[in-house]
Amino acid sequence: MTSSHLKSNSLRTGPDLSGHFGPYGGRFVAETLMPLMIELEKAYETAKTDPEFHAELKLHLRDYVGRPSPLWHAKHLSETIGGAQIYLKREDLNHTGSHKLNNVMGQILLARRMGKTRIVAETGAGQHGVATATVCALFGLKCVIYMGATDVERQKPNVFRMHLLGAEVKAVTSGAGTLKDAMNEAMRDWVAHVEDTYFLVGTVAGPHPYPAMVRDFQSVIGTEARQQIQEQTGRLPDGIIAAIGGGSNAMGIFHPFLDDAEVALYGVEAAGLGLESGKLAASISRGRPGVLHGNRTYLLQDQHGQIEEAHSISAGLDYPGIGPEHSWLNDIGRVNYVSATDKEALDAFQILTHKEGIIPALESAHAVAYAQKLAPKMSKDQILIVNISGRGDKDVPTVAAHLGVKL
Amino acid sequence: MSRISACFAALKAQGRGALIPYLEAFDPDYETSKKLLAEMAQNGGDIIEIGVPFSDPAADGPTIQLAAKRALKAGATLSRILDMVADFRRNNDNTPLILMGYLNPIEQFGTERFLEEAAKAGVDGLIIVDLPFEEAKDVRASAKSKGLDLIHLTTPNTPEDRLELTLKEASGFIYYVSITGITGTNSATEEQLRQSMGRLRKVTNLPVITGFGIATPEQARSASHISDGAVVASALIKEMAGTLEDGKATSKTIPTVIQSLKKLAEAVRS
């Protein structure tokens, strides 16, 4: 969470009081939601300074989520790729199999403090939905998950897991039936049930305070990685790579390093079928600033400001926007936003699986794919950390289909 | 005097509230929508609200969402919607027109350019659903300088201090969203409406109109009596959508909507 001893020119102090990161972020929601946003912001500000809240969160992260997650020196992968030494931050080892649980745990403890009894959430690949359903089961809260009908179809195991956990999964058929449409429906539900419902946003996007709050809860990844790499190698890394959809795992690992100018940061967007194909999810590379889902940020949109459908082999990355802090970090040049295609991610998925015995989520495979491009340009004594944001069990059917294997 | 002020002054003299029908621009096509606009003004619509289609209308219910989808398919863009307004103004210089939409299409068009062209085309007011008071400062000032009212929304859950803060710079009229929910779902009771109006009248002298959840002539009558006007949107769009064949307008499309509108108009005048 945000430290109180930051330098005045720190890149870690954002957003400003009105929720903006430079020109991005803010709070663009219907008036019905404004009182709730203000209430949420106050509740979070209070919780942030309450040692009891931190103690409760710390306990749950350690004993339920399974933190700290290891930092693994992937020697075989490093040898195979050549160049820099690659270390993997193992968020795939968290309970429920991804980084999503860090944020869900934080927000659910907040929702309980606020006296909310019903949780709504949106999910793309299902990882955030599963994490939310899990914690709702743990605390006995009613849970409704909105998921695009297309995603319900292609992520059946996760849908079944959510059902087992007692959540109601609502398939959204509007639009293309993907994450963007699920986000709209979850917001509609929240507007209609403002009294008892908490909207548990799964990424560093949405109206203020969500981008900052989700980042704070995910920053545990970078805080641990910073300490672990120094313990293992005696210094900071030369570079950090993380995949970006909305961008929460990336924001989580980047944030504690933002003021370390010597650490290069790489956010990998999904280039889908290629940056020129029109079938992609790379909002920074191929989008432009606009307003959607409560914040100003880079968006995939047509010339008239209508939002376009995103595409990626990874259901978790195909969102047409990105967190507003990423938009700002792009504009000021602190983070390098690059991309990897579906095909590159598939190759990386197989290499990591073969060489390290770690099956990554297709999201994380995008980060590994960029490591394959970057590491060979670096020397053997340089260090790269790649965030393995989730495990790939959920993606095995997708990968099999692309490899022409019938399960 | 602006068209909006003149309209409410005239209604006050008649001792009744406004009937404000809604249509989604270009739903299901440009020609039908243009005719509907003209006919609505002639058949009891005191003020007309024109929806500007957006791909992701997060505050709207399924009826308006589908209307927006049809409209976008029919080629709706902001500049063509302004053409429609300009065309309407050739024969009607009295009926106030309010554009209701979301911020992103406006920003991509260029906010300044849009405000200028909207005023020139004959638009009187704007409702930008996802632009709350805190983010609206520049747009409000610029709209005002061009003679456009940026209509403010309030809701049942807006706290008193926020009402005072946000309504002090409001102009035109106040749009009271009578339910905490999306368009076209449930409705507020008369008692709830009366209480809310009491709250609102304390902090503003502007006319207050009621929207969201008004479907029947009875509901329109009571809302237009208790407040200064009633918006009917989803109910009319549903009627219209019911006449479409393969998503296209039929000979029944305009007469069906206008017949419903006449009943609503009769009710608010009774």
Side-chain angles (χ1 to χ4, degrees):
Chain A
M1 316 251 312
T2 315
S3 318
S4 53
H5 55 271
L6 295 174
K7 295 177 286 185
S8 60
N9 61 347
S10 169
L11 297 176
R12 300 180 60 195
T13 53
D16 64 16
L17 286 175
S18 58
H20 292 83
F21 300 92
Y24 302 105
R27 197 139 57 187
F28 296 90
V29 293
E31 180 60 29
T32 317
L33 289 178
M34 281 304 288
L36 280 91
M37 299 313 313
I38 294 166
E39 183 197 357
L40 175 62
E41 183 186 10
K42 280 185 188 150
Y44 180 54
E45 288 304 316
T46 311
K48 250 188 354 189
T49 55
D50 181 354
E52 262 183 48
F53 180 75
H54 288 278
E56 195 183 15
L57 179 59
K58 201 172 167 187
L59 177 92
H60 282 89
L61 286 178
R62 189 190 69 193
D63 296 345
Y64 191 77
V65 178
R67 302 207 70 90
S69 71
L71 182 72
W72 171 246
H73 183 192
K75 290 188 185 123
H76 303 298
L77 181 71
S78 307
E79 274 167 27
T80 306
I81 296 176
Q85 298 304 305
I86 296 172
Y87 288 74
L88 306 176
K89 181 61 175 161
R90 300 288 311 276
E91 291 301 300
D92 58 309
L93 293 178
N94 291 339
H95 179 43
T96 74
S98 80
H99 71 291
K100 294 289 186 186
L101 197 58
N102 305 325
N103 165 52
V104 170
M105 190 55 85
Q107 286 197 55
I108 217 94
L109 294 178
L110 185 66
R112 292 181 82 217
R113 279 169 74 103
M114 294 172 75
K116 304 291 182 185
T117 54
R118 180 174 177 273
I119 306 294
V120 295
E122 84 297 346
T123 196
Q127 292 300 81
H128 175 57
V130 167
T132 303
T134 298
V135 182
C136 285
L138 176 67
F139 291 112
L141 298 168
K142 188 171 163 40
C143 180
V144 180
I145 305 290
Y146 288 91
M147 190 167 180
T150 312
D151 291 335
V152 167
E153 195 49 42
R154 61 180 172 174
Q155 299 290 336
K156 280 182 187 157
N158 271 344
V159 174
F160 184 58
R161 283 164 84 195
M162 286 184 261
H163 283 150
L164 286 175
L165 291 159
E168 184 186 348
V169 180
K170 292 198 175 180
V172 177
T173 52
S174 59
T178 57
L179 180 56
K180 155 178 107 86
D181 310 297
M183 184 91 172
N184 289 332
E185 281 305 321
M187 286 180 92
R188 290 190 180 104
D189 180 309
W190 195 28
V191 177
H193 302 94
V194 292
E195 294 304 324
D196 64 343
T197 297
Y198 183 93
F199 180 20
L200 209 160
V201 171
T203 192
V204 286
H208 177 63
Y210 284 108
M213 179 167 68
V214 176
R215 171 203 72 199
D216 290 347
F217 289 137
Q218 291 295 4
S219 288
V220 67
I221 305 172
T223 304
E224 283 176 12
R226 206 166 188 284
Q227 193 186 344
Q228 288 165 325
I229 197 74
Q230 290 184 96
E231 280 166 10
Q232 291 183 31
T233 69
R235 66 184 188 87
L236 292 179
D238 298 285
I240 299 176
I241 305 176
I244 310 242
S248 71
N249 89 81
M251 216 49 248
I253 196 165
F254 291 166
H255 200 254
F257 292 92
L258 285 183
D259 292 334
D260 302 305
E262 69 273 32
V263 181
L265 304 173
Y266 301 91
V268 187
E269 297 192 299
L273 303 183
L275 282 180
E276 307 308 323
S277 68
K279 299 279 281 177
L280 47 78
S283 340
I284 284 189
S285 303
R286 285 295 180 271
R288 59 179 197 283
V291 173
L292 178 72
H293 293 153
N295 61 161
R296 175 172 284 120
T297 193
Y298 277 86
L299 299 171
L300 297 177
Q301 52 183 317
D302 70 13
Q303 57 164 322
H304 301 294
Q306 306 296 343
I307 308 305
E308 290 178 335
E309 295 296 338
H311 162 84
S312 167
I313 189 172
S314 159
L317 296 182
D318 66 357
Y319 180 66
I322 185 169
E325 193 167 7
H326 284 294
S327 295
W328 176 66
L329 291 169
N330 173 68
D331 285 9
I332 63 168
R334 176 62 187 98
V335 177
N336 307 291
Y337 291 89
V338 295
S339 64
T341 63
D342 287 355
K343 189 178 173 305
E344 289 166 338
L346 264 176
D347 291 346
F349 177 98
Q350 293 170 80
I351 286 171
L352 184 62
T353 303
H354 280 162
K355 296 297 171 187
E356 297 291 334
I358 295 169
I359 302 180
L362 277 171
E363 289 88 331
S364 319
H366 283 73
V368 178
Y370 191 71
Q372 285 185 273
K373 290 183 198 170
L374 184 63
K377 296 177 194 157
M378 298 166 70
S379 69
K380 266 192 162 43
D381 55 359
Q382 287 189 293
I383 297 168
L384 272 180
I385 298 179
V386 178
N387 201 17
I388 304 300
S389 55
R391 67 176 184 230
D393 306 34
K394 69 181 173 64
D395 294 318
V396 167
T398 307
V399 172
H402 279 271
L403 298 180
V405 177
K406 203 169 176 203
L407 294 181
Chain B
M1 196 190 269
S2 74
R3 281 190 203 97
I4 292 175
S5 308
C7 173
F8 279 108
L11 289 170
K12 203 170 180 184
Q14 293 174 38
R16 68 173 178 92
L19 175 64
I20 308 171
Y22 176 105
L23 64 95
E24 189 80 2
F26 280 66
D27 175 27
D29 58 71
Y30 177 79
E31 283 303 323
T32 309
S33 179
K34 194 170 92 173
K35 276 184 207 147
L36 205 50
L37 175 61
E39 296 232 358
M40 277 180 165
Q42 285 163 15
N43 291 283
D46 297 305
I47 298 173
I48 299 171
E49 203 178 312
I50 303 174
V52 177
F54 182 46
S55 53
D56 295 76
D60 287 303
T63 304
I64 294 185
Q65 198 184 2
L66 279 173
K69 208 172 166 180
R70 284 192 298 268
L72 287 173
K73 211 175 154 192
T77 63
L78 264 182
S79 68
R80 294 186 70 195
I81 293 168
L82 294 182
D83 289 346
M84 184 169 109
V85 170
D87 192 74
F88 172 82
R89 278 281 171 249
R90 277 186 215 124
N91 301 310
N92 183 322
D93 198 35
N94 298 320
T95 309
L97 296 183
I98 312 295
L99 292 191
M100 180 165 190
Y102 292 76
L103 185 58
N104 199 51
I106 295 174
E107 284 202 351
Q108 302 306 320
F109 188 88
T111 307
E112 272 301 302
R113 182 184 147 216
F114 169 71
L115 295 173
E116 226 171 272
E117 293 190 14
K120 214 171 105 190
V123 172
D124 302 286
L126 300 171
I127 298 173
I128 307 176
V129 182
D130 55 351
L131 184 68
F133 174 78
E134 286 81 351
E135 300 279 0
K137 202 175 159 216
D138 295 346
V139 180
R140 180 180 302 109
S142 181
K144 205 174 228 172
S145 75
K146 294 169 179 69
L148 289 169
D149 291 314
L150 187 61
I151 307 297
H152 200 89
L153 301 170
T154 69
T155 65
N157 63 338
T158 310
E160 307 298 326
D161 53 347
R162 183 167 173 80
L163 274 185
E164 281 173 31
L165 171 81
T166 58
L167 298 193
K168 68 172 192 264
E169 290 183 46
S171 68
F173 57 84
I174 308 298
Y175 189 119
Y176 179 63
V177 176
S178 64
I179 51 160
T180 52
I182 51 179
T183 54
T185 49
N186 58 352
S187 309
T189 64
E190 283 193 17
E191 186 46 37
Q192 286 168 332
L193 257 187
R194 273 202 188 90
Q195 278 181 11
S196 304
M197 285 312 127
R199 234 160 59 95
L200 285 167
R201 305 283 190 208
K202 275 186 216 153
V203 287
T204 182
N205 295 320
L206 290 173
V208 180
I209 61 133
T210 305
F212 284 45
I214 298 173
T216 65
E218 292 70 35
Q219 286 169 335
R221 181 176 51 207
S222 88
S224 70
H225 283 184
I226 299 167
S227 68
D228 301 304
V231 180
V232 183
S234 296
L236 288 174
I237 293 181
K238 245 182 225 164
E239 293 261 358
M240 198 225 55
T243 68
L244 303 180
E245 275 171 25
D246 296 330
K248 295 207 161 53
T250 61
S251 59
K252 289 185 196 141
T253 301
I254 292 175
T256 304
V257 179
I258 296 306
Q259 205 183 0
S260 292
L261 183 66
K262 281 180 176 166
K263 282 184 195 152
L264 292 162
E266 220 170 274
V268 301
R269 282 166 175 79
S270 65

